[in-house]
Amino acid sequence: MDLAEGAGRRAEEAASPGEETILRAAIAVMAEHGYHGTSVRDIAEEAGFSASALYHHFESKQDVLATIMERGIKQLLLSTRTALAGAGEDPVDQLSALVSVQILFHLQDQRGTLLGTSEVRALEEPVRGRHLAKRRQQQRMFDQVVRRGVEQGVFTTSLPLEASRAIVVMCTGVASWFSPRSRVSREQIVERYQRLALDMVGAP
């Protein structure tokens, strides 16, 4: 079993308490020091385990990162597909649903989001290629909604692909600055970014 298959299996199965503890610890340490600045011992110490105990659950530090990335993208794809399926046929409602999921998902675990954004480059092949393919699936859902809106005359942008990519980047980026202590709630941010997204595609 290669790392991609192992990470994929763990993403689909319920993680053991030990695995959950290690993954949370890895996110905390890697988000602060980066993948290459973090050792297996650092993760183990943060988790309250010995290094040998960590290897009981994961083959390597790369395996830990691959599992974090795989779990994140699978959950995002599932949440996005579910929201899109429930949004009806109106491209405005569909795009609003996509924006809501993209923002709220990435605010669930801001450190995990920042890690996922910054450390894709640290993934080794074939894990990296498979992960990037799933990210493209996520982007395509935005692309298809915006294109459909343009075809139906609901959206007027002349740059549908560029607009949909900008919307994804804009929504994901909220995790880099949002503070729970802010006077603006998550729900208010979603409403404002839905309006921004609709403005970007030229909706009425």
Side-chain angles (χ1 to χ4, degrees), residues 107-185:
L107 289 181
Q108 287 177 7
D109 180 4
Q110 288 173 253
R111 291 187 301 183
T113 291
L114 297 176
L115 178 66
T117 301
S118 65
E119 297 301 340
V120 174
R121 60 193 175 184
L123 286 174
E124 298 172 0
E125 295 294 354
V127 177
R128 185 173 185 272
R130 296 182 191 181
H131 179 78
L132 291 175
K134 289 174 183 173
R135 289 197 174 199
R136 288 192 291 271
Q137 292 177 30
Q138 175 71 9
Q139 180 64 60
R140 277 198 297 272
M141 283 189 272
F142 280 80
D143 296 346
Q144 290 164 358
V145 166
V146 175
R147 278 176 165 169
R148 192 178 308 119
V150 171
E151 290 168 359
Q152 294 178 8
V154 178
F155 301 152
T156 60
T157 178
S158 61
L159 300 169
L161 290 180
E162 288 81 355
S164 66
R165 289 167 187 159
I167 290 167
V168 170
V169 172
M170 174 180 74
C171 294
T172 304
V174 171
S176 68
W177 58 262
F178 177 77
S179 170
R181 296 184 296 275
S182 172
R183 290 179 294 178
V184 181
S185 69

Side-chain angles (χ1 to χ4, degrees), residues 73 75-85 87 90-106 133-151 155 157 159-174 190 193-198 200-201:
I73 193 61
Q75 291 168 6
L76 178 58
L77 284 169
L78 176 60
S79 297
T80 304
R81 287 167 179 154
T82 300
L84 193 56
D90 185 350
V92 170
D93 292 339
Q94 292 176 341
L95 183 57
S96 296
L98 292 178
V99 167
S100 179
V101 169
Q102 192 77 10
I103 291 176
L104 294 178
F105 179 87
H106 286 94
K134 289 174 183 173
R135 289 197 174 199
R136 288 192 291 271
Q137 292 177 30
Q138 175 71 9
Q139 180 64 60
R140 277 198 297 272
M141 283 189 272
F142 280 80
D143 296 346
Q144 290 164 358
V145 166
V146 175
R147 278 176 165 169
R148 192 178 308 119
V150 171
E151 290 168 359
F155 301 152
T157 178
L159 300 169
L161 290 180
E162 288 81 355
S164 66
R165 289 167 187 159
I167 290 167
V168 170
V169 172
M170 174 180 74
C171 294
T172 304
V174 171
V190 167
Y193 275 59
Q194 286 171 332
R195 183 65 264 167
L196 287 171
L198 293 172
M200 290 172 69
V201 297

Side-chain angles (χ1 to χ4, degrees), residues 6 11-13 19 33 54 64 76 83 87 89 99 102 109-110 135 146 149 154 166 188 191-192 201-202:
E12 293 171 354
E13 298 175 356
E19 288 175 349
H33 302 291
L54 186 148
V64 174
L76 178 58
E89 297 299 322
V99 167
Q102 192 77 10
D109 180 4
Q110 288 173 253
R135 289 197 174 199
V146 175
V154 178
Q188 288 173 314
E191 291 175 0
R192 293 177 183 184
V201 297

Side-chain angles (χ1 to χ4, degrees), residues 1-13 59 63 66-67 70 74 126-127 130 134:
M1 180 184 296
D2 65 22
L3 288 183
E5 292 171 344
R9 175 186 58 77
R10 279 188 292 273
E12 293 171 354
E13 298 175 356
E59 294 180 11
D63 190 18
T67 300
E70 182 69 8
K74 283 201 169 187
V127 177
R130 296 182 191 181
K134 289 174 183 173

